[in-house]
Amino acid sequence: MTEALYRIQNFVPIQASELLNKVRDMKSDGQRLGQICCTKVEEGFEILYSFDKDHVLTNLRLTVPEDEAVQSVTGVYWPAFIYENEMQDLFGVKFKNMALNYEGRFFKVSEPTPWNPQK
Amino acid sequence: MSKRTVIPFGPQHPVLPEPVHLDLVIEDEKVVEAVPSIGFVHRGLEKLVEKREFPEMVYVIERICGICSFGHGWGYCRSVEGNMSIEIPDRAQFLRTIWHELSRIHSHLMWLGLLADAFGFESLFMHCWRVRETILDIFEETTGGRVIFSVCKVGGVRRDIDGEELKRIVDILAKLKDEIKKLADVFFDDYSVRNRLCGVGYLSKEDAKELCAVGPMARASGIRQDMRLDGHGAYPYLDFEPVLEEGGDSYARCKVRIREVFQSIELIAKAVKRIPVGEISAPVKGNPSGEFIARMEQPRGEAYYYSKGSGSKFLARMRVRTPTNMNIPAMVKTLQGCDLADVPMLILTIDPCISCTER
Amino acid sequence: MSYVTKSPWIIHYDGSSCNGCDIEVLACLTPMYDVERFGVINTGNPKHADIFLVTGSVNAQNISVVKQIYEQMPRPKVVVAVGICAASAGIFKECYNIIGGVDKAIPVDVYVPGCAARPEAIIDGVVKGLSVLEEKRKSLKEELAAETVKAGMDFKAEGEEREGA
């Protein structure tokens, strides 16, 4: 009988400055990027980077102010371009050094950044 | 160097049941690069959490996709249950597992049919879908719906299946196995099918890892990755090993899915043998206030369900990351260097579900 | 079904549906329901099609695609909206990226309810669409005949003018 690995959630808070190094560490540890998820919070954006190794989940939690550009991780995990473009289109999160930038044309929506409407 | 041409592919295309758009950069007949763009089916349903109470949200989440609808409902329920620390009764876990595995059989049979259609074998397509109808009949008998069941709820399931019916399902599936066997023989051995699949769209183990491929796409490249192993549902009681293939080409991906159909039939038989008697739902008190990520093994691969409670009846955030989302980079990779005529088939081999991807 | 004298060809487009209705549309074509026995063929080319089956609601991105497919179809043509999303956007009505039912983009002749619409209902909708198609064919014929008469009269009038000149 397998143990209940799904109960392990591991939310690790990190700083914007250490993001790239932490993600590189994950990569060299053989972790697989599972998803990147953005939530609008009072302080700005909360971005969750989820990684998986042998069915165990680890999440890096980054909180950034709304107008601060986030370092892109596409240089380490290329598939991250999907999530970064998604966050850019739906939330208006700014990224720097994206390997593949659709510049707002990945998700075409009727109003800009519907998850974070501009007042 | 020959001249490069860009061909727009989709969104409305004869082989694609769903709208996806690709810009294919081709050199003569070879694809050099493929640039996907999505958003045709984007509804923004995750944002409905602000308007729907968390027990009602199950209906919305189930309608992310009509093919893996049950798995979406289960994933959402698990996420909220984890959030509120609800332990659901064992019988409900088993029932959910049985429905989920039935969904896998129906989804894979559907995919096999579409694949056959994509390489121009129409009678095989028809046979796959004929066999699939049997599974839909089981769904209709046990849940009342053919594609969307709404049978999962936060805290358990809405309907029970009695012992007689469970035995009957196992009998039907045992008979179905012979029929599927005949189909499998065509996919495995037919000269023209092998001709279209073998060596086409190769994805090495290293690439699959690098591109974070999930589900049958990863397992066909020899990566042991299956979220059913993380101990949720009734899977810990069913001891099984995920299906692995080493080929990495379209043939291997097809093989993985066919073998998974047989595996699901076995898992259902085992589950029926071991299903305990008891309650089918647990009481739900209070509102979600924490956060939880539940992961499911959908027919197409690993899916994420992230819920963040706000202490009220409305969740602060619900996010679903579906398997196709994660397989798009791998698809783009396999398209590079393929023949233009193989493009529709290669897109199909990741088993894309666009309405999942865009939500 | 004595009025099914023609074999209608169908084109199917998925607006922003959940796939549920789409797989049911496909299920109609397969052996269990088999609409091909009525001569119904699913074609990918709008210029070959008589009936336009739309599933799912329209959004800002696909509204032009739906319109374009509709415009490319030759007259007489019938639009069948399959499923509750195509009829009124259904459960997704309040989503930010949804405009509404298919009738926000093009005129709809038959609405098939259901979530997901059952194959029997879809077949029924297509058969209803056939009678609409027949009516449209008749009125198109009359219209064309009237045009021919008018063209003939114009020609005659021109001739008289020439002779008079």
Side-chain angles (χ1 to χ4, degrees), chain B residues 291-338:
Chain B
E291 56 186 335
F292 196 85
I293 295 180
R295 291 185 296 166
M296 298 288 301
E297 186 66 26
Q298 291 276 22
R300 285 157 190 74
E302 173 206 41
Y304 277 72
Y305 301 85
Y306 169 67
S307 67
K308 186 176 175 144
S310 63
S312 75
K313 282 211 170 296
F314 302 94
L315 292 171
R317 175 85 161 106
M318 176 66 216
R319 160 155 173 106
V320 183
R321 196 281 279 149
T322 56
T324 306
N325 227 321
M326 206 65 249
N327 275 335
I328 285 178
M331 176 186 85
V332 170
K333 170 81 189 169
T334 53
L335 283 174
Q336 285 165 3
C338 79

Side-chain angles (χ1 to χ4, degrees), chain A residues 56-94:
Chain A
V56 177
L57 188 68
T58 311
N59 304 289
L60 301 181
R61 189 202 307 272
L62 174 72
T63 312
V64 288
E66 221 171 274
D67 46 2
E68 192 181 306
V70 181
Q71 178 63 41
S72 164
V73 297
T74 44
V76 189
Y77 287 99
W78 183 69
F81 80 89
I82 290 181
Y83 306 108
E84 292 185 353
N85 279 294
E86 183 183 308
M87 287 188 267
Q88 182 171 284
D89 293 358
L90 299 185
F91 288 86
V93 184
K94 294 181 194 74

Side-chain angles (χ1 to χ4, degrees), chain B residues 232-277:
Chain B
H232 70 267
Y235 295 112
Y237 306 98
L238 303 178
D239 40 60
F240 74 105
E241 249 316 291
V243 173
L244 286 189
E245 285 287 333
E246 299 293 331
D249 55 357
S250 300
Y251 184 67
R253 295 196 270 280
C254 180
K255 228 172 164 176
V256 164
R257 292 192 175 100
I258 292 177
R259 287 177 55 201
E260 280 185 6
V261 170
F262 292 118
Q263 187 186 42
S264 294
I265 294 178
E266 268 169 40
L267 286 178
I268 293 170
K270 266 190 207 167
V272 168
K273 223 176 259 169
R274 296 179 192 171
I275 188 168
V277 283

Side-chain angles (χ1 to χ4, degrees), chain C:
Chain C
M1 295 222 303
S2 53
Y3 51 80
V4 186
T5 50
K6 298 271 193 298
S7 300
W9 285 19
I10 281 175
I11 183 165
H12 165 225
Y13 183 76
D14 169 359
S16 56
S17 90
C18 71
N19 264 340
C21 296
D22 304 282
I23 54 174
E24 294 294 58
V25 167
L26 272 180
C28 289
L29 298 163
T30 53
M32 184 79 163
Y33 298 96
D34 196 18
V35 289
E36 286 194 9
R37 66 200 147 123
F38 305 130
V40 176
I41 289 178
N42 185 20
T43 166
N45 188 335
K47 300 207 173 186
H48 294 177
D50 306 298
I51 297 183
F52 187 14
L53 283 185
V54 198
T55 53
S57 34
V58 292
N59 61 21
Q61 174 124 264
N62 67 31
I63 190 163
S64 58
V65 182
V66 172
K67 279 186 181 156
Q68 202 183 353
I69 295 174
Y70 180 74
E71 275 155 22
Q72 283 183 13
M73 287 170 65
R75 288 171 68 199
K77 52 191 165 187
V78 165
V79 177
V80 180
V82 176
I84 197 70
C85 293
S88 71
I91 196 166
F92 303 122
K93 203 175 176 75
E94 290 170 274
C95 289
Y96 58 82
N97 213 33
I98 293 289
I99 296 176
V102 178
D103 47 15
K104 300 269 188 221
I106 51 174
V108 176
D109 300 289
V110 182
Y111 295 91
V112 179
C115 181
R118 297 179 57 88
E120 292 93 335
I122 298 173
I123 295 172
D124 206 30
V126 170
V127 171
K128 276 219 164 64
L130 283 179
S131 52
V132 180
L133 192 71
E134 186 58 25
E135 273 165 36
K136 286 196 174 177
R137 194 180 64 86
K138 272 187 198 141
S139 61
L140 181 69
K141 216 173 173 182
E142 279 161 20
E143 204 180 296
L144 288 177
E147 266 174 34
T148 322
V149 171
K150 192 175 172 290
M153 278 161 66
D154 288 350
F155 183 73
K156 209 175 152 197
E158 272 171 35
E160 277 164 7
E161 250 171 54
R162 265 199 306 277
E163 270 167 31

Side-chain angles (χ1 to χ4, degrees), chain B residues 39-233:
Chain B
F40 290 91
V41 210
H42 181 62
R43 291 155 280 184
L45 58 86
E46 288 168 357
K47 209 160 170 29
L48 278 182
V49 288
E50 293 165 8
K51 293 171 183 156
R52 302 269 185 277
E53 292 176 6
F54 74 90
E56 293 173 336
M57 197 58 199
V58 187
Y59 307 120
V60 179
I61 298 290
E62 279 199 322
R63 282 163 178 80
I64 287 177
C65 169
I67 303 168
C68 27
S69 141
F70 183 81
H72 283 309
W74 187 9
Y76 171 78
C77 291
R78 275 187 54 211
S79 179
V80 175
E81 284 155 9
N83 212 324
M84 302 171 71
S85 312
I86 300 171
E87 290 296 332
I88 75 157
D90 277 349
R91 190 172 176 87
Q93 296 280 26
F94 272 80
L95 288 171
R96 284 178 177 185
T97 307
I98 290 169
W99 274 313
H100 191 52
E101 289 307 314
L102 282 168
S103 298
R104 190 180 316 277
I105 301 175
H106 118 78
S107 174
H108 281 350
L109 283 173
M110 190 201 82
W111 176 82
L112 285 168
L114 290 177
L115 179 77
D117 194 38
F119 57 62
F121 200 151
E122 207 178 328
S123 55
L124 190 57
F125 160 64
M126 293 292 180
H127 280 295
C128 291
W129 280 60
R130 178 179 55 80
V131 173
R132 176 179 161 267
E133 286 289 336
T134 321
I135 307 287
L136 296 189
D137 288 345
I138 297 177
F139 281 141
E140 202 172 347
E141 279 166 32
T142 54
T143 69
R146 278 167 55 90
V147 287
I148 293 189
F149 323 134
S150 299
V151 76
C152 225
K153 64 171 182 179
V154 176
V157 290
R158 243 169 251 285
R159 289 184 186 218
D160 203 348
I161 312 180
D162 63 38
E164 287 293 306
E165 182 70 19
L166 284 172
K167 279 203 195 77
R168 222 172 62 82
I169 293 175
V170 175
D171 290 344
I172 294 173
L173 289 179
K175 272 188 211 127
L176 204 64
K177 211 169 167 178
D178 298 331
E179 293 230 32
I180 300 172
K181 183 102 205 348
K182 280 184 209 150
L183 295 175
D185 288 344
V186 181
F187 279 103
F188 288 159
D189 301 327
D190 188 85
Y191 172 76
S192 44
V193 174
R194 291 186 65 127
N195 195 20
R196 284 303 298 274
L197 296 177
C198 287
V200 179
Y202 177 68
L203 184 73
S204 68
K205 192 171 179 174
E206 291 68 40
D207 279 343
K209 251 191 194 140
E210 180 70 30
L211 298 167
C212 306
V214 296
M217 195 84 183
R219 291 197 286 277
S221 295
I223 298 176
R224 185 175 177 275
Q225 181 215 106
D226 191 324
M227 287 308 135
R228 288 176 286 178
L229 292 173
D230 79 356
H232 70 267

